[in-house]
Amino acid sequence: MKRCSIVLMVVMPLTGCGTTPNVAPITVATPGLPSPERALQDSLDRVHAFMASLNERLETPARTSVPLQHTTEAMIVTAPTPQKPSTPTTSSPPQATPLTGKGGVTWFDFGDGTPTINCRYPDICIVRLEQGETALPTDLRIDDMSSWHADLVRGGKGIHSVWAIALAPDAQATQTTLELKSSRRTYRMVLSGSHDSMRSVAFTHTPGESLNQPEIIHTVGKTGIPDFTYHMSGKAPWAPLRAYREAGRTYIQFPPGGIVAAPRLVIISPQSSQTQAYQTIGDSYVVDLPVDKAMLIGHEPDSHTILITHGETK
């Protein structure tokens, strides 16, 4: 009997080990040691946070103007580069077409656009106004007054009763602009001394045409074709690279760093009443008139000088 009781006591614990209990696993926290489950969860959280912030650490040109989009799946989404709104292109005013008529008169339609009057030295060219149209000398403006001369010719009697503009270019005249505000309309025209002369010019007029010819736009003080017919003589470490004039201004451009020498500019022709007739812009001296002859004088002990003359080429 005793022997059976002992066998039963040994078997009962063994049968308990072979069954699967319905109890949840118990996390045992040992003081001083990290929990494996907590360490794994922290690692997963760091990976998710890295993937979610990866989008913001990618370089993209669109970031400067449009924030990147985020999705719940933390996918990398690059915003498209924004398209700039299209601006209408401004075209230059149309050029009027010259027509040659009887007696060698060159005709322009006043409302056709900007006329270009060719007048080469030593010719004198006449631009006729309309019958009965008058003007004041103060209403006549020409940009390059050093190379072009323009005068109002008062009308007389008979066939000479029409007022006119007399143009007389110098030998070095190239291109400039002329504006006249008459008693009826505003003339704006380009004068060119590079082609055969139009010795007699007149305009036709149509009902309903504009009373103002197109504005000749000056962009940052420049317009038309630059005139590079300058000759420079002399030597200096700061000697200008080039000189040119355009739209009634003269530009003297220095090499890199040459403007620091700040040589003194003396305008010989035409004479100017201004004590400081030029200004420094970037690497250039800009003179507010067309210069025919000027001299640059350095501040060095040996006083380097550069003579600049218009109308001469090397």
Side-chain angles (χ1 to χ4, degrees):
M1 186 68 179
K2 273 185 178 181
R3 190 171 184 182
C4 293
S5 300
I6 293 172
V7 173
L8 290 172
M9 292 176 63
V10 172
V11 173
M12 289 178 64
L14 292 176
T15 58
C17 295
T19 61
T20 302
N22 289 326
V23 288
I26 301 175
T27 301
V28 179
T30 305
L33 295 176
S35 171
E37 293 84 0
R38 176 59 61 186
L40 178 60
Q41 186 63 43
D42 292 342
S43 178
L44 292 175
D45 291 342
R46 286 194 295 271
V47 171
H48 292 161
F50 174 83
M51 296 300 296
S53 63
L54 181 61
N55 189 26
E56 297 181 358
R57 286 179 279 114
L58 290 176
E59 295 183 358
T60 168
R63 180 171 300 284
T64 58
S65 56
V66 177
L68 296 179
Q69 301 175 358
H70 297 273
T71 63
T72 55
E73 293 83 4
M75 295 178 61
I76 301 174
V77 180
T78 304
T81 304
Q83 299 293 328
K84 294 183 179 180
S86 59
T87 55
T89 58
T90 56
S91 58
S92 57
Q95 298 296 313
T97 303
L99 298 174
T100 304
K102 294 182 179 180
V105 179
T106 302
W107 291 89
F108 290 95
D109 184 352
F110 182 85
D112 193 24
T114 302
T116 298
I117 312 299
N118 297 323
C119 191
R120 179 185 291 176
Y121 176 84
D123 295 335
I124 296 178
C125 304
I126 302 298
V127 180
R128 303 179 188 176
L129 304 185
E130 189 182 25
Q131 182 73 37
E133 189 175 13
T134 61
L136 297 174
T138 54
D139 294 328
L140 177 63
R141 183 182 63 83
I142 190 168
D143 282 341
D144 187 1
M145 293 185 296
S146 63
S147 301
W148 288 85
H149 306 279
D151 296 292
L152 274 176
V153 179
R154 294 175 176 269
K157 295 182 179 180
I159 60 174
H160 301 291
S161 61
V162 177
W163 286 45
I165 307 171
L167 302 175
D170 288 345
Q172 67 270 19
T174 54
Q175 181 169 301
T176 189
T177 59
L178 179 146
E179 180 179 285
L180 173 66
K181 295 182 179 180
S182 73
S183 59
R184 296 180 180 176
R185 52 184 63 88
T186 299
Y187 295 85
R188 296 186 179 99
M189 58 192 74
V190 175
L191 306 182
S192 175
S194 305
H195 303 282
D196 293 339
S197 297
M198 302 174 180
R199 299 195 179 189
S200 181
V201 178
F203 292 90
T204 60
H205 302 277
T206 57
E209 69 179 7
S210 174
L211 297 180
N212 301 306
Q213 286 183 322
E215 189 85 27
I216 300 176
I217 301 174
H218 292 247
T219 306
V220 197
K222 300 180 182 181
T223 187
I225 301 174
D227 177 10
F228 292 97
T229 55
Y230 276 94
H231 172 66
M232 290 184 287
S233 59
K235 293 184 179 180
W238 40 261
L241 294 174
R242 61 180 182 176
Y244 63 96
R245 66 186 185 184
E246 187 179 0
R249 290 182 174 86
T250 303
Y251 301 84
I252 303 173
Q253 183 179 1
F254 290 88
I259 197 72
V260 179
R264 184 164 59 98
L265 176 63
V266 178
I267 299 175
I268 302 174
S269 176
Q271 296 182 354
S272 175
S273 59
Q274 304 178 28
T275 56
Q276 181 76 7
Y278 66 95
Q279 54 184 327
T280 302
I281 300 178
D283 60 354
S284 302
Y285 284 173
V286 180
V287 188
D288 290 330
L289 54 88
V291 174
D292 293 328
K293 182 176 290 188
M295 182 179 293
L296 290 168
I297 304 174
H299 301 285
E300 301 86 351
D302 52 356
S303 297
H304 292 289
T305 59
I306 301 292
L307 181 63
I308 304 173
T309 307
H310 180 262
E312 298 182 5
T313 56
K314 293 182 180 180

